[in-house]
């Protein structure tokens, strides 16, 4: 750190302390023998963050707030905890070939040289408060301890087929602690999936947060077998079977919240990859407006599910929130006088008051088979997890014609193409036009963080790209910035971008005539449908998301 006389003069010149305060601090320092900076902070004469920022400006080193920065565990692991505490440093992240390191004293060239030698990388120093660095070291240490103890326990090579040794490691505290910590951290960081991926030299852990994968940590390769086996035991899978994919489910509580984990294993050349889908029961049922429906689209969708019969399709790619939308719709329909039965593969969320059936292919229990049985069980509302084959499509459409409200999903690019897709699957055009009531196409975009988003006046080209006249419209857009609340991404949570196609008489006529989907889409827009792109641009204008996000998920 700077010499004590130098520190005092810097702080006085910056206006952070007065000459009288500085004199009193020096007198106190003479009594305690502590560094001048610590005395100034302890006596409340200056805020530690303000002091560190001033010193950083003076020596030409950027300040970094670790409270608002996501630390890459792979970077932090390059320096042992004991050395990090002794030097007052913590690696933060990688930038190209350099390593960004937060330091209490970036002016100490001996420490910088040691960090460079230990990590083998070019060091770019940033100045941070001692309290922030110590807190960050403590947080990262929780993961390092579990991993290092586990690596010592398992040892050897990940290809070792001695299951008894892996089994022993799985039952010990370090592996249990590591897996529990990973799951708890994923839930707290709002991750939807945990990816456990064995590689040639290490085991990589990634979280999918708001639809984007983030690398969280890497562990020694020797840990891989024990971690995977622990997850398989939790999901009641066969740990001795490594050649074929397996699926399972785990029900746990994290911080008092009920959480379901859907576990899927996949054999790879370096071992089994495990993906855990986190199903938070508190987030399963949301109000449709909270999902991102604008009033116009919500009103159109409400006209469909309020009817006593008919078919409602929700379309979109995997991971577009179709199930959440359907469950939220079922929640609105769920009343004691209504019999609701679902057939799903798998059953993601368990809903009270609703009969849910799980597809079981090994037992011959397919969608079409279950659906036929459901129709003999006096249902009012039927949810079919997905229309995958012609038989299921025909049965679902016929059910909608015989007095049932049928909700289901289909994989198409937009709402209009769903009509042709059903016909291509073998459903007669006149049945599609008669039974289908509406089609909801959906995508998910990341939602701007309300805490850190910043307004900007959109350039003329951007306004034109959004479909407005730049000479008549001045559009204020919000930009993603990044803060602690959103893990420095600028986004927190997701919202649905949707379009609702209603089967008017004209659209029904087009379906019977097998007209192209672009003609059906053009007519629907004339009749009031907002397309996915238009809906997304409206949400950009309202400051809910960014133009980049909409263009990422919508053509």
């Amino acid at each position: 750190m700077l010499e004590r006389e130098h520190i005092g003069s810097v702080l006085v010149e910056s206006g952070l302390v007065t000459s009288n305060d500085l004199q009193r601090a020096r007198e106190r320092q003479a009594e305690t023998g502590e560094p001048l900076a610590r005395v100034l902070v302890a006596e409340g004469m200056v805020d530690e963050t303000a002091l560190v920022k001033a010193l950083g400006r003076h020596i030409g080193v950027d300040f970094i707030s670790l409270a608002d920065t996501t630390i890459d565990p792979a970077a932090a692991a390059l320096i042992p905890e004991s050395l990090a505490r002794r030097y007052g440093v913590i690696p933060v992240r990688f930038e190209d070939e350099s390593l960004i390191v937060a330091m209490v004293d970036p002016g100490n060239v001996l420490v910088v040289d040691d960090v460079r030698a230990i990590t083998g990388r070019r060091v770019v120093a940033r100045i941070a408060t001692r309290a922030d660095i110590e807190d960050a070291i403590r947080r990262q240490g929780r993961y390092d301890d579990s991993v290092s103890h586990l690596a010592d326990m398992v040892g050897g090579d990940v290809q070792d087929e001695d299951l008894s040794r892996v089994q022993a490691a799985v039952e010990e505290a370090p592996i249990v602690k590591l897996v529990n910590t990973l799951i708890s951290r994923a839930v707290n960081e709002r991750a939807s999936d945990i990816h456990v991926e064995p590689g040639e030299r290490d085991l990589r852990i990634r979280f999918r947060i708001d639809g984007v994968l983030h690398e969280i940590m890497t562990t020694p390769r020797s840990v891989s077998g024990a971690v995977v086996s622990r997850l398989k035991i939790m999901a009641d899978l066969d740990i001795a079977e490594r050649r074929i994919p397996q699926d399972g489910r785990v029900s746990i509580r994290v911080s008092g919240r009920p959480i379901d984990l859907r576990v899927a294993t996949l054999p790879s050349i370096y071992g089994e990859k495990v993906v855990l889908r986190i199903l938070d029961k508190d987030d399963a049922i949301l109000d449709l407006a909270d999902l991102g429906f604008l009033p116009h689209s919500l009103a159109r969708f409400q006209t469909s599910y309020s009817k006593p019969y008919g078919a409602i399709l929700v379309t979109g790619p995997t991971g577009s929130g179709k199930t959440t939308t359907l469950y939220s719709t079922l929640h609105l329909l769920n009343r004691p006088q209504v019999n609701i039965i679902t057939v799903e593969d798998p059953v993601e969320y368990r809903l009270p008051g609703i009969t849910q059936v799980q597809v079981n292919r090994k037992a011959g229990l397919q969608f079409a088979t279950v659906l036929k049985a459901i129709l003999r069980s006096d249902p009012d509302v039927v949810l079919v997890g997905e229309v995958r084959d012609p038989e299921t499509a025909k049965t679902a459409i016929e059910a909608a014609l015989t007095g049932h409200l049928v909700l289901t999903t289909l994989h198409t690019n937009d709402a209009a193409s769903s009509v042709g897709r059903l016909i291509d699957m073998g459903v007669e055009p006149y049945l599609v036009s008669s039974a289908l009531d509406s089609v909801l196409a959906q995508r998910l975009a990341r939602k701007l963080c309300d805490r850190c988003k910043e307004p900007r006046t959109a350039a003329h080209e951007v306004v034109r790209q959004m479909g407005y006249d730049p000479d008549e419209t001045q559009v204020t857009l919000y930009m993603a910035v990044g803060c602690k609340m959103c893990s420095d991404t600028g986004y927190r949570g997701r919202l649905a971008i949707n379009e609702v196609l209603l089967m008017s008489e004209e659209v029904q006529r087009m379906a019977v005539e097998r007209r192209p989907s672009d003609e059906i889409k053009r007519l629907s827009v004339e009749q009031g449908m907002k397309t996915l792109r238009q809906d997304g641009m409206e949400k950009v204008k309202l400051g809910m998301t960014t133009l980049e996000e909409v263009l990422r998920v919508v053509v």
Side-chain angles (χ1 to χ4, degrees):
M1 189 63 77
L2 298 171
E3 296 296 331
R4 67 181 65 176
E5 296 300 327
H6 205 170
I7 291 175
S9 61
V10 168
L11 297 178
V12 171
E13 290 173 7
S14 302
L16 295 176
V17 298
T18 65
S19 299
N20 290 337
D21 286 341
L22 185 59
Q23 184 59 38
R24 284 193 295 112
R26 284 173 176 157
E27 292 172 0
R28 180 65 177 163
Q29 181 193 17
E31 297 173 6
T32 63
E34 292 184 345
L36 180 61
R38 290 192 187 181
V39 173
L40 288 165
V41 173
E43 295 295 322
M45 297 178 185
V46 64
D47 177 70
E48 184 180 13
T49 300
L51 182 149
V52 171
K53 284 182 177 179
L55 295 181
R57 285 194 298 270
H58 183 78
I59 62 177
V61 176
D62 291 339
F63 171 80
I64 185 169
S65 172
L66 296 181
D68 296 329
T69 302
T70 301
I71 295 176
D72 185 344
L78 292 177
I79 297 182
E81 183 180 349
S82 57
L83 281 180
R85 291 188 182 279
R86 183 193 310 169
Y87 289 154
V89 303
I90 183 166
V92 176
R93 62 177 178 271
F94 301 102
E95 280 191 5
D96 298 326
E97 298 300 317
S98 302
L99 181 66
I100 305 299
V101 181
M103 307 180 66
V104 171
D105 185 5
N108 190 329
V109 293
L110 296 178
V111 171
V112 173
D113 286 344
D114 281 355
V115 171
R116 184 185 299 114
I118 293 169
T119 62
R121 288 179 175 268
R122 175 176 171 269
V123 173
V124 178
R126 298 283 187 268
I127 193 168
T129 65
R130 182 177 295 276
D132 272 4
I133 289 178
E134 290 178 351
D135 181 60
I137 292 172
R138 185 172 60 254
R139 282 187 280 116
Q140 294 300 320
R142 295 175 192 169
Y143 309 114
D144 295 342
D145 290 344
S146 295
V147 174
S148 60
H149 292 167
L150 181 61
D152 292 340
M153 180 186 304
V154 179
D157 191 275
V158 75
Q159 299 300 326
D160 194 336
E161 295 296 328
D162 187 357
L163 288 177
S164 62
R165 189 168 65 172
V166 174
Q167 181 86 41
V170 164
E171 300 300 330
E172 295 292 338
I175 178 60
V176 174
K177 178 183 176 184
L178 174 61
V179 171
N180 290 349
T181 301
L182 281 173
I183 295 172
S184 177
R185 181 177 177 186
V187 171
N188 292 333
E189 294 188 11
R190 304 173 298 102
S192 60
D193 301 87
I194 304 172
H195 290 242
V196 180
E197 303 166 318
E200 184 179 2
R201 296 183 177 85
D202 52 32
L203 176 71
R204 181 171 65 165
I205 310 294
R206 294 192 291 174
F207 292 170
R208 186 176 295 280
I209 302 173
D210 294 335
V212 178
L213 279 172
H214 301 268
E215 185 168 320
I216 300 302
M217 63 186 296
T218 56
T219 70
R221 184 186 182 192
S222 56
V223 173
S224 176
V227 171
V228 171
S229 295
R230 170 61 184 169
L231 292 171
K232 290 171 72 173
I233 287 173
M234 290 174 65
D236 198 24
L237 303 179
D238 184 359
I239 66 169
E241 180 55 77
R242 302 175 179 176
R243 300 165 299 174
I244 61 174
Q246 298 185 67
D247 294 293
R249 192 182 186 99
V250 184
S251 293
I252 58 174
R253 297 187 74 86
V254 177
S255 302
R257 294 158 56 191
I259 302 291
D260 280 353
L261 301 175
R262 202 174 74 204
V263 182
T265 69
L266 182 68
S268 74
I269 58 173
Y270 296 119
E272 289 177 284
K273 172 181 172 128
V274 183
V275 177
L276 292 84
R277 168 65 57 87
I278 299 174
L279 306 171
D280 189 341
K281 295 180 180 179
D282 289 344
D283 295 336
I285 308 301
L286 299 172
D287 189 89
L288 288 174
D290 294 335
L291 294 177
F293 278 84
L294 293 178
H296 173 78
S297 298
L298 181 57
R300 289 170 64 88
F301 187 53
Q302 283 174 332
T303 61
S304 298
Y305 69 74
S306 300
K307 295 179 180 178
Y309 56 86
I312 299 174
L313 288 182
V314 180
T315 75
T318 302
S320 60
K322 300 187 297 294
T323 301
T324 301
T325 298
L326 286 175
Y327 279 175
S328 298
T329 306
L330 285 184
H331 180 65
L332 295 172
L333 298 171
N334 191 10
R335 300 186 302 276
Q337 60 268 34
V338 178
N339 181 22
I340 302 176
I341 307 179
T342 75
V343 50
E344 305 168 65
D345 183 25
V347 174
E348 293 196 2
Y349 299 99
R350 293 166 188 180
L351 307 176
I354 294 176
T355 303
Q356 295 175 273
V357 182
Q358 167 80 52
V359 167
N360 187 337
R361 289 183 176 79
K362 291 182 180 178
L365 203 61
Q366 305 283 8
F367 273 110
T369 310
V370 177
L371 186 52
K372 289 176 181 176
I374 287 174
L375 296 178
R376 295 192 294 270
S377 302
D378 187 31
D380 297 301
V381 179
V382 178
L383 184 147
V384 182
E386 184 181 345
V387 172
R388 294 180 178 175
D389 56 78
E391 188 179 3
T392 305
K394 291 176 183 177
T395 308
I397 290 297
E398 289 170 0
L401 282 172
T402 54
H404 305 93
L405 181 63
V406 178
L407 294 85
T408 187
T409 68
L410 195 65
H411 287 275
T412 58
N413 290 327
D414 59 9
S417 57
S418 300
V419 177
R421 174 76 178 125
L422 285 174
I423 295 172
D424 290 342
M425 292 180 76
V427 183
E428 291 295 334
Y430 72 89
L431 290 178
V432 174
S433 67
S434 303
L436 192 59
D437 193 80
S438 70
V439 183
L440 168 67
Q442 184 167 296
R443 300 288 188 277
L444 288 181
R446 289 184 294 174
K447 187 161 54 175
L448 276 168
C449 174
D450 290 330
R451 178 176 173 179
C452 64
K453 65 181 182 181
E454 290 185 358
R456 296 280 193 280
T457 300
H460 286 290
E461 286 301 319
V462 174
V463 175
R464 187 177 292 109
Q465 191 175 13
M466 292 177 65
Y468 301 107
D469 186 346
D471 297 326
E472 298 180 4
T473 310
Q474 185 174 8
V475 179
T476 299
L477 304 182
Y478 286 84
M479 314 301 292
V481 177
C483 65
K484 180 182 179 181
M485 288 292 292
C486 60
S487 301
D488 210 34
T489 62
Y491 300 95
R492 183 174 175 82
R494 289 190 287 178
L495 56 83
I497 295 174
N498 37 51
E499 64 182 18
V500 183
L501 184 151
L502 298 180
M503 292 294 290
S504 64
E505 290 184 11
E506 294 81 5
V507 174
Q508 289 177 341
R509 192 175 303 115
M510 283 189 165
V512 173
E513 296 172 357
R514 297 176 181 252
R515 303 288 283 276
S517 60
D518 56 345
E519 291 186 23
I520 295 176
K521 182 175 183 177
R522 194 178 307 118
L523 175 62
S524 298
V525 171
E526 292 174 1
Q527 294 179 343
M529 182 184 79
K530 286 184 180 291
T531 65
L532 287 168
R533 188 181 181 92
Q534 289 170 339
D535 188 76
M537 294 306 172
E538 188 69 23
K539 284 163 183 169
V540 171
K541 193 175 179 181
L542 291 172
M544 300 168 71
T545 186
T546 62
L547 180 63
E548 292 79 11
E549 269 299 291
V550 173
L551 295 179
R552 181 176 70 87
V553 299
V554 177
V555 177

